[in-house]
Amino acid sequence: MTVAEAIREAAQRLATTSDTARLDAELLMAHALGCSRSDVLLRHMQAGAPEAFAALVDRRAAREPVAYILGNQEFYGLDLAVSPAVLIPRGDSEAIVRAALAAAPDAKRVLDLGTGSGALLLAVLSELPGAQGIGIDASPAALEIARQNADSLGLADRAALQAGDWTKPGWADDLGRFDLVIANPPYVEDDARLDPDVRDYEPASALFSGPEGLDDYRIIVPQLPRLLTETGVAVLEIGASQASEVSEIARQHGFTATAHRDLGGRDRALELRLALGKGESSS
């Protein structure tokens, strides 16, 4: 069987479970051949299909995400390593990066809460060459992925990746204050119906946050005043229907909130600034 025939057959098989079946098949073939997707399409279509391809298709047919099979995902133009220890960075989350850079273009100290693969922190630092960042995560396995990405992108000297759990007392005692705090916290309702690709493979601890999906905002937002400088800003990822609820949590703790939309037109990033005259006492 040629590469072209194998891709066509795989795309037909994957079409029942994937909206991007042809793309999935091409990416898996590129991985099996050890080349780029463009090389597959331009140079290898009439070659013999590699034996390893069938096993990769089996994994995708079982709903394992392509990013986990390949071990990498592009985000904000960066090639990032991923594993089942971290959420797969998605294009929607690039709204956080865009909003953060617009809100704090001169930031010198950046904190990423729940850094996972390091996607948000590393994307921001790649655009702010004068900034230093700290990424915290409660998962040692996630921190290993983030460190790998910082190393591969040449940002290890500006990105400190360390253990931290915002649900534990004293977690932020030695962090100091930041010009910019970014976060993609868990925000999915505990009983939400998710695609098997997400539900069965991505880390539940990074997804679910109580019956309303708001538990982590209720923990994080009250702690932001002691993490931010006087003119600092926080940018949090939110679910598409959560802007009003999280904005109200923010208002109760002395913040004004501005929602920013993703490329699909959905509310995705919430920019928080301390209202004039508010400070740590508002927590």
Side-chain angles (χ1 to χ4, degrees), residues 19-163:
D19 293 332
T20 56
R22 175 75 187 199
L23 175 62
D24 293 356
E26 291 172 356
L27 291 171
L28 295 175
M29 182 60 76
H31 186 66
L33 289 170
C35 64
S36 69
R37 174 173 168 248
S38 60
D39 279 343
V40 171
L41 300 177
L42 294 174
R43 299 182 175 88
H44 298 291
M45 293 297 275
Q46 299 310 311
E51 292 184 7
F53 180 65
L56 300 178
V57 175
D58 287 344
R59 291 171 64 182
R60 182 63 185 128
R63 304 298 291 266
E64 183 175 354
V66 172
Y68 288 156
I69 299 173
L70 303 183
N72 68 282
Q73 175 72 19
E74 183 179 342
F75 179 80
Y76 206 77
L78 306 177
D79 186 29
L80 300 173
V82 295
S83 81
V86 300
L87 290 180
I88 298 168
R90 290 171 169 79
D92 288 345
S93 296
E94 293 184 1
I96 314 308
V97 179
R98 293 192 296 271
L101 293 172
D106 300 316
K108 298 301 182 186
R109 296 197 79 221
V110 182
L111 174 65
D112 182 13
L113 300 176
T115 196
S117 66
L120 294 180
L121 179 64
L122 298 174
V124 168
L125 292 181
S126 72
E127 297 290 331
L128 298 178
Q132 297 282 328
I134 297 176
I136 69 157
D137 204 288
S139 165
L143 288 171
E144 282 304 309
I145 295 292
R147 291 186 183 109
Q148 179 181 335
N149 285 324
D151 286 340
S152 67
L153 295 171
L155 293 170
D157 61 333
R158 294 199 287 124
L161 289 313
Q162 60 193 59

Side-chain angles (χ1 to χ4, degrees), residues 63-68 73 82-90 184 194-208:
R63 304 298 291 266
E64 183 175 354
V66 172
Y68 288 156
Q73 175 72 19
V82 295
S83 81
V86 300
L87 290 180
I88 298 168
R90 290 171 169 79
N184 178 11
L194 301 177
D195 289 340
D197 311 51
V198 177
R199 183 193 65 226
D200 296 341
Y201 289 96
E202 300 202 48
S205 61
L207 290 169
F208 299 105

